[in-house]
Amino acid sequence: MKENYCLQAALVCLGMLCHSQAFATERRSHLRPSFHGHHEKGKEGQVLQRSKRGWVWNQFFVIEEYTGPDPVLVGRLHSDIDSGDGNIKYILSGEGAGTIFVIDDKSGNIHATKTLDREERAQYTLMAQAVDRDTNRPLEPPSEFIVKVQDINDNPPEFLHETYHANVPERSNVGTSVIQVTASDADDPTYGNSAKLVYSILEGQPYFSVEAQTGIIRTALPNMDREAKEEYHVVIQAKDMGGHMGGLSGTTKVTITLTDVNDNPPKFPQSVYQMSVSEAAVPGEEVGRVKAKDPDIGENGLVTYNIVDGDGMELFEITTDYETQEGVVKLKKPVDFETKRAYSLKVEAANVHIDPKFISNGPFKDTVTVKIAVEDADEPPMFLAPSYIHEVQENAAAGTVVGRVHAKDPDAANSPIRYSIDRHTDLDRFFTINPEDGFIKTTKPLDREETAWLNISVFAAEIHNRHQEAKVPVAIRVLDVNDNAPKFAAPYEGFICESDQTKPLSNQPIVTISADDKDDTANGPRFIFSLPPEIIHNPNFTVRDNRDNTAGVYARRGGFSRQKQDLYLLPIVISDGGIPPMSSTNTLTIKVCGCDVNGALLSCNAEAYILNAGLSTGALIAILACIVILLVIVVLFVTLRRQKKEPLIVFEEEDVRENIITYDDEGGGEEDTEAFDIATLQNPDGINGFIPRKDIKPEYQYMPRPGLRPAPNSVDVDDFINTRIQEADNDPTAPPYDSIQIYGYEGRGSVAGSLSSLESATTDSDLDYDYLQNWGPRFKKLADLYGSKDTFDDDS
């Protein structure tokens, strides 16, 4: 601190010395008398007058931060015409005059009374004047000059930020630029070295360095490893005065982080991994995990896993869990303990992203051996076939063997097996199974025509562990047996026309018939149609087999008559082609009908089959009868309603006319106050418990108090109305609740007469309305209209 004060004092002295020299030079070169001159001859003998520049001021200097006991001398104003007798008065004006800068008006000396700071204000503009002390007459023209504040090194350098953060890749070359830090100095950069900064590093060697002039931080060591140390703290100093002794300084902290590069290959922490898997495991189940460690981070540390060799490549697979960077070994296919009990895999771990700059550090991969042992498990029984199909003939006796299913225990223990049928698939219990050998038998005869296929499920379970069981589907086909005789495919009927015996017979069949058989096609068609042997020579009809599973029925003669016989029943035998064949006798009905000349049927006993479509006469009569009955019912209903004389629309409520109330009262005029009841208004007397009855006429009438009726020309109407209101409020017999009162000022008996103006428009009235002037302000308008009539007449 003492050295600083000494330095400042020396600078002040130096500044004052420089100022004195500059001031002397300034005066020698610029100060000349302004009002005194000499004459010179011109070209033509003209005398020219040239003024000397004795009153021109450019600038003064004052050093900043001066802390001496006396005011510092800035400079002196002096005119050439000043003889020193004190007749000239020097005046200073402008920025800071009188407050910061004061002048001795006799000597012209300017002093700075306050400590100046160049960083706050670098210069001041002032005006110098020289006037006569007695008359204030200007002796010199006003001269403007500048007082500059001379800088000293009083501000230390300051960095733009208190702390900096920067990143640089690890393994960077020496001299790699990291970050540039910048400091500023508030001192004058154009004067001396107060603002000339030099940067240096205080902390962070030997890893980093800084350029003295620019502040750029660079790496100083090669192959810095992030995995060894990731973060560095560096302190940078900025010093002014060019870094020389006595300069001021400032510091900042820089946190430098080494970013990762892929300079480390993945490595397995062990050479062999032991794993195991149960033979009961299903494909996709996890077997185990391996992990190769990579000290790099981010995408540089990503590792992928693959199986590159081994006898279990077909049974196992490996995937990468990118969240944990582990290789997950999974079962690809089922394994069998009884077949093979151990497998070996060679797993490789490799980086996903490889930096070519560090390829020489590779290879960026590693391998490990994974040994997987297969564990024995209590497996369920296994059927020798995934499904079974058996056959059995229909109508076979109960206990007929359908077929056999077979299962075995795959475990080394070879546990005995018990079989059972899933009864949910055999609700009718058609089958049973031997629990020891798996033979399936029928429990009742089967009918193929009802169900051709039966599907059941068979369980196989270990005797010692019933939870270990297997299930297999069994389809049983019921084989057909020729056990159904053929029958007519439809209920056939034939029709033949009455005819004379002389008419020839038609070659057209009476009817063509076919058959149907429930048995399989092997036991059904072809069908054979024939007449029974006992009527094979039937004189009326014959059957001709068409050999296409149809046959035609023909008439052998003519001359059929309905009078003799209108219906014939013809038995027909139908045989199938099964082994042995089945046959049945079916009866065909043939009716004799009347026909026209063209052979078209007209009528026969079976009208429903030959009449044209339409309504019969009986049906039409029934419909007409129903319509007539409905009309009669409607007429009766209308007649009954008219007799009762009731409206067709019945109101649920009573007639609206019952709600109309008629009153025959007639009002009695203005003086009638008894014709209406306003009892719904609030009665003030009811509050006090006194409510006068309105259904009884009072026995006496309340009379007005004597002397209260006002004279029309002497009493204020307001007082009159208030008096009447008070009387009405206190009168128990008066109509209640502020009702309208009738006063005797209009009509018969009123001293004032009528106030109506109905007749004033047609007749002249000599009434005197001067009393209206005495009725108060409410009747002022009437008083002006009527009371001043005479005045108007006089004016006219």
Side-chain angles (χ1 to χ4, degrees):
M1 183 65 70
K2 184 177 180 180
E3 294 178 355
N4 291 336
Y5 282 129
C6 295
L7 178 63
Q8 289 183 2
L11 291 175
V12 169
C13 295
L14 178 63
M16 293 178 66
L17 178 61
C18 295
H19 165 69
S20 300
Q21 294 176 356
F23 179 71
T25 304
E26 189 75 24
R27 288 192 53 79
R28 287 195 299 268
S29 59
H30 297 289
L31 295 183
R32 290 180 178 87
S34 59
F35 287 174
H36 300 274
H38 63 277
H39 300 279
E40 295 180 359
K41 290 185 178 181
K43 295 180 180 180
E44 298 179 355
Q46 182 181 359
V47 178
L48 300 178
Q49 182 177 0
R50 184 179 65 183
S51 298
K52 295 182 180 180
R53 299 180 62 192
W55 183 256
V56 178
W57 306 93
N58 289 334
Q59 61 186 4
F60 290 140
F61 295 90
V62 60
I63 195 166
E64 68 169 336
E65 303 293 345
Y66 176 73
T67 58
D70 299 324
V72 62
L73 177 63
V74 177
R76 181 184 180 189
L77 298 180
H78 183 72
S79 174
D80 289 345
I81 63 175
D82 187 1
S83 60
D85 54 4
N87 292 328
I88 296 179
K89 180 181 180 180
Y90 295 99
I91 300 174
L92 186 66
S93 62
E95 298 174 344
T99 57
I100 299 176
F101 303 102
V102 295
I103 187 171
D104 186 347
D105 59 356
K106 292 183 180 181
S107 63
N109 291 333
I110 302 173
H111 291 83
T113 62
K114 295 183 179 180
T115 301
L116 302 181
D117 188 357
R118 189 200 66 83
E119 286 70 40
E120 292 183 1
R121 188 160 187 171
Q123 65 182 21
Y124 297 85
T125 303
L126 298 172
M127 184 74 67
Q129 287 180 296
V131 299
D132 188 274
R133 185 177 296 278
D134 297 328
T135 63
N136 286 332
R137 180 177 61 85
L139 300 178
E140 295 282 359
S143 177
E144 184 178 84
F145 64 95
I146 295 173
V147 177
K148 288 189 175 181
V149 182
Q150 195 171 21
D151 183 53
I152 64 172
N153 188 20
D154 60 341
N155 291 279
E158 293 183 358
F159 284 91
L160 299 180
H161 304 284
E162 294 183 1
T163 58
Y164 290 83
H165 295 274
N167 299 323
V168 63
E170 63 173 334
R171 309 267 182 197
S172 296
N173 297 327
V174 176
T176 301
S177 175
V178 179
I179 189 175
Q180 183 178 14
V181 295
T182 303
S184 61
D185 196 320
D187 293 325
D188 189 0
T190 63
Y191 181 78
N193 294 328
S194 298
K196 185 177 181 181
L197 304 182
V198 174
Y199 298 94
S200 61
I201 184 168
L202 300 183
E203 295 181 15
Q205 300 96 340
Y207 306 103
F208 299 95
S209 63
V210 63
E211 292 184 357
Q213 305 301 324
T214 62
I216 298 176
I217 302 174
R218 299 181 182 275
T219 58
L221 285 182
N223 298 324
M224 285 191 292
D225 191 2
R226 184 200 66 83
E227 288 73 31
K229 186 176 182 180
E230 183 176 6
E231 192 173 83
Y232 296 84
H233 298 282
V234 179
V235 177
I236 302 297
Q237 180 191 66
K239 191 174 183 180
D240 58 13
M241 299 298 292
H244 296 310
M245 183 74 67
L248 303 179
S249 64
T251 61
T252 186
K253 293 182 180 180
V254 182
T255 301
I256 301 176
T257 303
L258 297 183
T259 58
D260 185 64
V261 297
N262 190 11
D263 58 339
N264 294 281
K267 291 289 184 182
F268 284 105
Q270 58 195 66
S271 59
V272 178
Y273 283 86
Q274 299 287 344
M275 299 180 184
S276 62
V277 61
S278 174
E279 63 175 341
V282 297
E285 187 172 333
E286 182 178 328
V287 178
R289 294 188 174 218
V290 297
K291 184 175 183 179
K293 295 183 178 181
D294 190 333
D296 296 324
I297 60 176
E299 66 176 13
N300 297 322
L302 295 179
V303 179
T304 182
Y305 298 88
N306 294 289
I307 299 176
V308 295
D309 197 7
D311 56 0
M313 295 182 62
E314 299 297 328
L315 299 176
F316 299 94
E317 62 182 356
I318 189 169
T319 60
T320 303
D321 186 347
Y322 288 102
E323 292 184 359
T324 61
Q325 291 297 301
E326 293 177 319
V328 183
V329 180
K330 296 181 179 180
L331 184 65
K332 189 177 181 181
K333 295 180 180 180
V335 293
D336 188 10
F337 175 81
E338 289 73 25
T339 304
K340 189 175 178 63
R341 299 187 179 186
Y343 296 91
S344 178
L345 301 175
K346 187 176 182 180
V347 176
E348 179 186 78
N351 279 138
V352 177
H353 304 282
I354 299 176
D355 193 340
K357 296 179 181 179
F358 307 99
I359 195 69
S360 59
N361 295 357
F364 287 85
K365 62 180 64 177
D366 193 16
T367 58
V368 70
T369 301
V370 178
K371 293 184 178 181
I372 303 175
V374 180
E375 297 178 348
D376 188 20
D378 190 6
E379 300 177 80
M382 295 180 59
F383 284 95
L384 300 184
S387 62
Y388 293 88
I389 298 177
H390 298 304
E391 295 179 348
V392 63
Q393 287 189 344
E394 66 174 331
N395 300 326
T400 302
V401 176
V402 175
R404 184 189 181 188
V405 295
H406 184 66
K408 68 175 183 178
D409 184 9
D411 298 323
N414 195 14
S415 176
I417 306 298
R418 293 187 64 85
Y419 302 93
S420 62
I421 295 177
D422 184 1
R423 290 306 174 185
H424 294 91
T425 61
D426 186 23
L427 297 177
D428 294 327
R429 296 182 178 271
F430 289 123
F431 306 99
T432 183
I433 189 171
N434 190 317
E436 296 179 356
D437 55 16
F439 279 99
I440 301 174
K441 298 180 181 180
T442 61
T443 59
K444 61 183 73 175
L446 304 178
D447 188 359
R448 189 204 67 86
E449 286 69 39
E450 291 182 2
T451 306
W453 285 89
L454 294 171
N455 297 297
I456 62 174
S457 297
V458 175
F459 290 112
E462 296 180 6
I463 294 179
H464 302 296
N465 187 1
R466 291 296 182 91
H467 297 289
Q468 295 293 344
E469 65 177 9
K471 187 177 182 180
V472 68
V474 179
I476 301 174
R477 178 183 180 185
V478 182
L479 301 178
D480 183 51
V481 175
N482 192 17
D483 57 347
N484 292 280
K487 297 180 179 179
F488 276 155
Y492 296 107
E493 281 189 325
F495 304 95
I496 189 170
C497 295
E498 287 184 307
S499 61
D500 296 336
Q501 293 182 356
T502 59
K503 292 182 179 180
L505 292 175
S506 175
N507 291 326
Q508 296 295 328
I510 299 173
V511 63
T512 300
I513 60 177
S514 63
D516 188 15
D517 195 333
K518 294 181 179 181
D519 292 326
D520 195 5
T521 56
N523 294 318
R526 104 162 174 84
F527 299 119
I528 301 173
F529 301 88
S530 63
L531 294 177
E534 60 272 15
I535 60 169
I536 194 167
H537 299 293
N538 188 300
N540 298 318
F541 305 99
T542 184
V543 176
R544 297 178 186 176
D545 195 337
N546 296 327
R547 299 184 181 276
D548 58 356
N549 295 328
T550 63
V553 179
Y554 297 87
R556 285 194 170 190
R557 66 177 181 86
F560 291 95
S561 174
R562 283 184 294 177
Q563 286 76 16
K564 293 182 180 180
Q565 187 174 349
D566 61 350
L567 184 67
Y568 293 88
L569 299 178
L570 180 65
I572 299 176
V573 177
I574 306 175
S575 302
D576 60 20
I579 300 174
M582 296 285 292
S583 62
S584 66
T585 301
N586 301 266
T587 302
L588 176 65
T589 302
I590 301 175
K591 295 182 179 181
V592 180
C593 302
C595 303
D596 57 12
V597 295
N598 296 322
L601 297 177
L602 294 178
S603 64
C604 59
N605 293 334
E607 291 183 354
Y609 290 90
I610 61 175
L611 288 180
N612 294 330
L615 295 175
S616 62
T617 304
L620 293 175
I621 293 174
I623 293 173
L624 292 175
C626 292
I627 294 174
V628 171
I629 292 173
L630 290 176
L631 291 175
V632 170
I633 291 173
V634 172
V635 171
L636 291 175
F637 177 74
V638 174
T639 304
L640 292 176
R641 295 293 292 177
R642 288 182 178 178
Q643 290 178 357
K644 291 181 179 181
K645 295 182 179 181
E646 294 181 356
L648 295 178
I649 301 176
V650 180
F651 290 99
E652 295 181 0
E653 309 245 340
E654 60 182 357
D655 196 341
V656 295
R657 291 174 296 177
E658 297 180 2
N659 296 328
I660 300 175
I661 302 174
T662 304
Y663 297 95
D664 295 331
D665 296 341
E666 185 174 353
E670 294 180 352
E671 298 181 357
D672 183 9
T673 60
E674 302 293 336
F676 59 89
D677 183 11
I678 55 175
T680 57
L681 299 177
Q682 181 180 1
N683 184 6
D685 295 334
I687 300 176
N688 299 326
F690 175 76
I691 301 177
R693 298 182 62 182
K694 302 304 175 185
D695 56 344
I696 301 176
K697 187 176 182 180
E699 297 178 358
Y700 65 94
Q701 295 291 331
Y702 179 79
M703 298 303 294
R705 297 177 184 177
L708 293 179
R709 181 178 294 274
N713 295 326
S714 61
V715 180
D716 192 350
V717 175
D718 289 340
D719 297 335
F720 174 81
I721 293 175
N722 292 331
T723 302
R724 284 304 189 189
I725 291 174
Q726 184 177 4
E727 291 177 358
D729 292 339
N730 296 326
D731 187 2
T733 62
Y737 327 131
D738 297 333
S739 63
I740 300 175
Q741 299 295 311
I742 306 299
Y743 302 103
Y745 285 99
E746 185 176 358
R748 294 190 301 272
S750 175
V751 178
S754 177
L755 294 177
S756 175
S757 61
L758 294 176
E759 298 178 356
S760 63
T762 56
T763 60
D764 295 333
S765 175
D766 296 330
L767 295 177
D768 184 8
Y769 296 101
D770 292 338
Y771 60 86
L772 294 175
Q773 300 290 341
N774 301 325
W775 281 21
R778 296 186 179 180
F779 293 90
K780 184 177 183 302
K781 189 66 175 178
L782 291 176
D784 293 341
L785 292 175
Y786 293 96
S788 59
K789 180 178 180 182
D790 296 338
T791 305
F792 296 154
D793 294 340
D794 295 340
D795 295 340
S796 62

